[in-house]
Amino acid sequence: MDGICTLANDKVYDQLVALLNSIEANQGADIPVCVYPYDDNTERIAAEINRRPQVQLYGDRESIERWDRFARQVWDAHPSARQTWAQRGYEPYHRVGTHRRYCAFDGPFDRFIYMDADALLLSPAVPIFRQLERSDWVVYDFQFKDPGHVYDLSSNKLGEVFSPDRIESEIFCSGFYATSKRIFEEQKREQLLHQLEAGEAEILYLMAPDQTVLNYMVMRSDLKVCNLARSLPADEKTGNSVTSAHFQEKDHLVYDGGKRLTYLHYIGVSSKIFARVCAGENLDFPYRETFLYYRYLHEPEKRPRFDSQPEPYKRPPNLFRRALNQFKSTFN
C-alpha cells in the first residue's frame, strides 16, 4: 500500500491542516496519510486527525522508542555534539523529535512519500511513486547546492567516507522524499551505528540532526538515489522552496515558469508566524494566499480577513540595530 506521511505536534497544527487539505485536493481523498508524533503534545492534531478517516496518528510506542533510542545512540557516537548543544543552551539531544520521521520505516505503508508539515502538495504524486520502481530513494530538491547543511565540511574524515562526486549528486533535503518500508532493518541499523561509533559520526552536521543522519544512512547503505531536480529535463523541472521569489500563484496552485510545482516547502517560515496569521495578525510571508486557501479549504468562513497592508514577517532592523551592525562589521 502506498501512502503519504508527515511529522507533527500541536505547534504546527495550522500547517498540518493545510498539508492534509492539499493532499486531499491535489492527490485525492482516498490516499492514506500517517502522522508521526514529534512529541506528546498532540491533543489538538489528534482531534483533527480523528475527523479524517484516511488519516491516522501513529501510535506504535515500541517503534517510536526504538527510533528514539537509535537517534540517541547516533549522537552519543559524535565526539562533541552534546557538549556543543549544551554550550548553546539546547536540550541534551537537539531537536530529537525530528528523528521520529524514521518511524515510517516501520509504518503502515509499503511505499511512502514523507513531507514536512510546513509543505503543500500541489501536484499528484503518481510520478514520484512511479520512480520508486527504478530507485530506492526519490527526492526533488536542490540541497546539493548547499552541502554545508548536510555534513560538516570541516571534517577531515568526510572525504574518506564519501567522495565529492557522491556528495554533490546524492545529498538531499529531509523535508520531502519517497522510499519503501523496512529499508533499514535491525541488522542495517547496527551496521550503521558501528561505523558511526568507529569515527564516522564526526562528519555529521549538528544543527540539522535528522537531515544529516538520514543522508548518512542512505548514502552509507549505497541506496540508489534519484533526485528529480537533477534528472528531469530542464524544461520540466521546477523549484519547490518559498525562498524562490519568482513563482506564480494561480488558481490555488503555484507555477515556476509556467510549470506546476510538485510541492511547495515553506522552509524558513516559523510555525509561530503561521499561528499568528491564522489568529488574525496581518503578517505577510511568501505565497501566503496559497497557504491560507488550503488551511481554510473546508472552513472558509473562519479564514482571517485583512483590510490593510500586511507587515513583513521578517522585520528589517531598526535604525539603532543597523548602526550597531555596521559598527560591528567595521571593527571586526
Side-chain angles (χ1 to χ4, degrees), residues 37-74:
Y38 180 92
D39 54 25
D40 294 333
N41 181 25
T42 58
E43 181 178 356
R44 195 177 180 201
I45 65 168
E48 177 66 30
I49 289 167
N50 285 338
R51 291 194 287 268
R52 298 172 182 261
Q54 83 280 18
V55 185
Q56 64 175 292
L57 181 62
Y58 193 66
D60 186 335
R61 296 306 306 181
E62 182 179 346
S63 168
I64 291 170
E65 290 168 7
R66 178 165 54 248
W67 286 107
D68 283 356
R69 183 168 58 252
F70 175 79
R72 291 192 298 267
Q73 289 173 311
V74 167

Coordinates of all heavy atoms in Angstrom, one line a residue, residues 37-74:
P37 N 4.2 11.4 15.6 CA 4.2 12.5 16.6 C 5.6 13.0 16.9 O 6.4 12.2 17.3 CB 3.5 11.8 17.8 CG 3.9 10.3 17.6 CD 3.9 10.1 16.1
Y38 N 5.8 14.3 16.8 CA 7.1 14.9 17.2 C 7.4 14.7 18.7 O 8.5 14.4 19.1 CB 7.1 16.3 16.8 CG 8.4 17.1 17.1 CD1 9.3 17.2 16.1 CD2 8.6 17.7 18.3 CE1 10.5 17.9 16.4 CE2 9.8 18.3 18.6 CZ 10.7 18.4 17.7 OH 11.9 19.1 17.9
D39 N 6.3 14.8 19.5 CA 6.4 14.6 20.9 C 5.0 14.3 21.4 O 4.1 13.9 20.6 CB 7.0 15.9 21.6 CG 6.2 17.1 21.3 OD1 5.0 17.1 20.9 OD2 6.8 18.2 21.4
D40 N 4.7 14.4 22.7 CA 3.4 14.0 23.2 C 2.4 15.2 23.2 O 1.3 15.0 23.7 CB 3.6 13.6 24.7 CG 4.4 12.3 24.8 OD1 4.3 11.5 23.8 OD2 5.0 12.0 25.8
N41 N 2.8 16.3 22.6 CA 1.9 17.5 22.5 C 1.1 17.3 21.3 O 1.3 18.0 20.3 CB 2.8 18.7 22.5 CG 1.9 20.0 22.4 OD1 0.8 20.0 22.8 ND2 2.5 21.1 21.9
T42 N 0.1 16.4 21.3 CA -0.7 16.1 20.1 C -2.2 16.2 20.3 O -2.9 15.7 19.4 CB -0.3 14.7 19.6 OG1 -0.6 13.7 20.7 CG2 1.2 14.6 19.2
E43 N -2.7 16.7 21.4 CA -4.1 16.7 21.6 C -4.9 17.4 20.5 O -5.9 16.8 20.0 CB -4.4 17.4 22.9 CG -5.9 17.4 23.3 CD -6.2 18.0 24.7 OE1 -5.2 18.4 25.4 OE2 -7.4 18.1 25.0
R44 N -4.5 18.5 20.0 CA -5.2 19.2 19.0 C -5.1 18.6 17.7 O -6.1 18.4 17.0 CB -4.7 20.7 18.9 CG -5.6 21.6 18.2 CD -5.0 23.0 18.2 NE -5.9 24.0 17.5 CZ -5.5 25.1 17.0 NH1 -4.2 25.5 17.2 NH2 -6.3 25.9 16.4
I45 N -4.0 18.1 17.3 CA -3.9 17.5 16.0 C -4.6 16.1 16.0 O -5.1 15.7 15.0 CB -2.4 17.3 15.5 CG1 -1.6 16.4 16.4 CG2 -1.7 18.6 15.3 CD1 -0.3 15.9 15.8
A46 N -4.6 15.4 17.1 CA -5.3 14.2 17.2 C -6.8 14.4 17.0 O -7.5 13.5 16.3 CB -5.1 13.5 18.6
A47 N -7.4 15.4 17.5 CA -8.8 15.7 17.3 C -9.1 16.0 15.8 O -10.1 15.5 15.2 CB -9.2 16.9 18.1
E48 N -8.1 16.7 15.1 CA -8.3 16.9 13.7 C -8.2 15.6 12.9 O -8.9 15.4 12.0 CB -7.2 17.9 13.2 CG -7.2 18.2 11.7 CD -8.4 19.0 11.3 OE1 -9.0 19.7 12.1 OE2 -8.8 18.8 10.1
I49 N -7.2 14.8 13.3 CA -7.0 13.6 12.6 C -8.2 12.6 12.7 O -8.6 11.9 11.8 CB -5.7 12.9 13.1 CG1 -4.5 13.7 12.6 CG2 -5.6 11.4 12.7 CD1 -3.2 13.3 13.3
N50 N -8.8 12.6 13.9 CA -10.0 11.8 14.1 C -11.1 12.1 13.2 O -12.0 11.3 13.0 CB -10.4 11.9 15.6 CG -9.5 11.1 16.5 OD1 -8.8 10.2 16.1 ND2 -9.5 11.5 17.8
R51 N -11.2 13.4 12.6 CA -12.2 13.8 11.7 C -12.0 13.3 10.3 O -12.8 13.5 9.4 CB -12.4 15.3 11.8 CG -13.0 15.8 13.1 CD -13.4 17.3 13.0 NE -12.3 18.2 12.9 CZ -11.8 18.8 14.0 NH1 -12.3 18.5 15.2 NH2 -10.7 19.6 13.9
R52 N -10.8 12.7 10.1 CA -10.4 12.4 8.7 C -10.2 10.9 8.6 O -9.2 10.4 9.1 CB -9.1 13.1 8.3 CG -9.3 14.7 8.3 CD -7.9 15.4 8.1 NE -8.1 16.8 8.2 CZ -8.1 17.6 7.1 NH1 -8.0 17.0 5.9 NH2 -8.2 18.9 7.2
P53 N -11.1 10.1 8.0 CA -11.0 8.7 8.0 C -9.7 8.1 7.3 O -9.3 7.0 7.6 CB -12.3 8.2 7.3 CG -12.7 9.4 6.5 CD -12.3 10.6 7.3
Q54 N -9.1 8.9 6.4 CA -8.0 8.4 5.7 C -6.7 8.7 6.4 O -5.6 8.3 5.9 CB -8.0 9.0 4.3 CG -7.4 10.4 4.1 CD -8.3 11.5 4.5 OE1 -9.3 11.3 5.2 NE2 -8.0 12.7 4.1
V55 N -6.7 9.4 7.6 CA -5.5 9.8 8.3 C -5.4 9.2 9.6 O -6.5 9.0 10.3 CB -5.5 11.4 8.5 CG1 -4.2 11.8 9.1 CG2 -5.8 12.1 7.1
Q56 N -4.2 8.7 10.0 CA -4.0 8.1 11.3 C -2.8 8.8 12.0 O -1.9 9.3 11.4 CB -3.8 6.6 11.2 CG -2.5 6.3 10.4 CD -2.2 4.8 10.4 OE1 -1.9 4.2 11.5 NE2 -2.4 4.1 9.3
L57 N -2.9 8.8 13.3 CA -1.8 9.3 14.2 C -1.1 8.0 14.6 O -1.6 7.2 15.3 CB -2.3 10.1 15.4 CG -1.3 10.6 16.3 CD1 -0.3 11.6 15.6 CD2 -1.9 11.3 17.5
Y58 N 0.2 7.9 14.3 CA 1.0 6.7 14.6 C 1.1 6.5 16.1 O 1.4 7.5 16.8 CB 2.4 6.9 14.0 CG 3.2 5.6 13.9 CD1 2.8 4.6 13.1 CD2 4.4 5.5 14.6 CE1 3.6 3.4 13.0 CE2 5.2 4.4 14.6 CZ 4.8 3.4 13.7 OH 5.6 2.2 13.7
G59 N 0.8 5.3 16.5 CA 0.8 5.1 18.0 C 1.6 3.9 18.4 O 1.4 3.4 19.6
D60 N 2.5 3.4 17.5 CA 3.3 2.2 17.9 C 4.4 2.6 18.8 O 5.5 3.1 18.3 CB 3.8 1.5 16.6 CG 4.6 0.2 16.9 OD1 5.1 0.0 18.0 OD2 4.6 -0.6 16.0
R61 N 4.2 2.5 20.1 CA 5.2 3.0 21.1 C 6.5 2.3 21.0 O 7.6 2.9 21.2 CB 4.7 2.9 22.5 CG 3.5 3.8 22.8 CD 3.7 5.3 22.4 NE 4.9 5.8 23.1 CZ 5.2 7.1 22.9 NH1 4.5 7.9 22.1 NH2 6.3 7.6 23.5
E62 N 6.5 1.0 20.7 CA 7.7 0.2 20.5 C 8.6 0.8 19.4 O 9.8 0.9 19.5 CB 7.4 -1.2 20.3 CG 8.7 -2.1 20.2 CD 8.3 -3.6 20.0 OE1 7.1 -4.0 20.2 OE2 9.2 -4.4 19.7
S63 N 7.9 1.1 18.3 CA 8.6 1.6 17.1 C 9.2 3.0 17.5 O 10.4 3.3 17.2 CB 7.7 1.7 15.9 OG 8.3 2.5 14.9
I64 N 8.4 3.9 18.1 CA 8.8 5.2 18.4 C 10.0 5.2 19.4 O 11.0 5.9 19.2 CB 7.7 6.0 19.1 CG1 6.6 6.3 18.0 CG2 8.2 7.3 19.7 CD1 5.3 6.8 18.6
E65 N 9.9 4.3 20.4 CA 11.1 4.2 21.3 C 12.3 3.6 20.7 O 13.4 4.0 21.0 CB 10.6 3.3 22.5 CG 9.6 4.1 23.4 CD 8.9 3.1 24.4 OE1 9.4 1.9 24.5 OE2 8.0 3.5 25.1
R66 N 12.1 2.7 19.7 CA 13.3 2.1 19.0 C 14.0 3.2 18.2 O 15.3 3.3 18.3 CB 12.8 1.0 18.1 CG 13.9 0.4 17.3 CD 13.5 -0.9 16.6 NE 12.3 -0.8 15.8 CZ 11.1 -1.4 16.2 NH1 11.0 -2.1 17.3 NH2 10.1 -1.2 15.4
W67 N 13.3 4.1 17.6 CA 14.0 5.1 16.8 C 14.5 6.2 17.7 O 15.5 6.9 17.3 CB 13.0 5.6 15.7 CG 12.9 4.6 14.6 CD1 11.8 3.8 14.3 CD2 13.9 4.3 13.6 NE1 12.1 3.0 13.2 CE2 13.4 3.3 12.8 CE3 15.2 4.7 13.4 CZ2 14.1 2.7 11.7 CZ3 16.0 4.2 12.3 CH2 15.4 3.2 11.5
D68 N 13.8 6.5 18.8 CA 14.3 7.5 19.7 C 15.7 7.0 20.3 O 16.6 7.8 20.4 CB 13.4 7.7 20.9 CG 12.2 8.5 20.6 OD1 12.1 9.1 19.5 OD2 11.3 8.7 21.5
R69 N 15.7 5.7 20.6 CA 17.0 5.1 21.1 C 18.1 5.2 20.0 O 19.2 5.5 20.3 CB 16.7 3.7 21.5 CG 17.9 3.0 22.2 CD 17.5 1.7 22.9 NE 16.8 0.8 21.9 CZ 15.5 0.5 22.0 NH1 14.7 1.1 22.8 NH2 15.0 -0.4 21.1
F70 N 17.7 4.9 18.8 CA 18.7 4.9 17.7 C 19.3 6.3 17.5 O 20.5 6.5 17.4 CB 18.0 4.5 16.4 CG 18.9 4.6 15.2 CD1 19.8 3.6 14.9 CD2 18.7 5.7 14.3 CE1 20.6 3.7 13.8 CE2 19.5 5.8 13.2 CZ 20.5 4.8 12.9
A71 N 18.4 7.3 17.6 CA 18.9 8.7 17.4 C 19.8 9.1 18.6 O 20.9 9.7 18.3 CB 17.7 9.7 17.4
R72 N 19.5 8.7 19.8 CA 20.4 9.0 20.9 C 21.8 8.3 20.7 O 22.8 8.8 21.0 CB 19.8 8.6 22.2 CG 18.6 9.5 22.6 CD 18.1 9.2 24.0 NE 17.7 7.9 24.3 CZ 16.4 7.5 24.2 NH1 15.5 8.3 23.9 NH2 16.1 6.2 24.5
Q73 N 21.7 7.0 20.3 CA 23.0 6.3 20.1 C 23.8 6.9 19.0 O 25.1 7.0 19.1 CB 22.7 4.8 19.7 CG 22.1 4.0 20.8 CD 21.6 2.6 20.4 OE1 20.9 2.5 19.4 NE2 22.0 1.6 21.1
V74 N 23.2 7.4 17.9 CA 23.9 8.1 16.9 C 24.7 9.3 17.4 O 25.9 9.5 17.2 CB 23.0 8.5 15.7 CG1 23.7 9.5 14.8 CG2 22.5 7.3 14.9

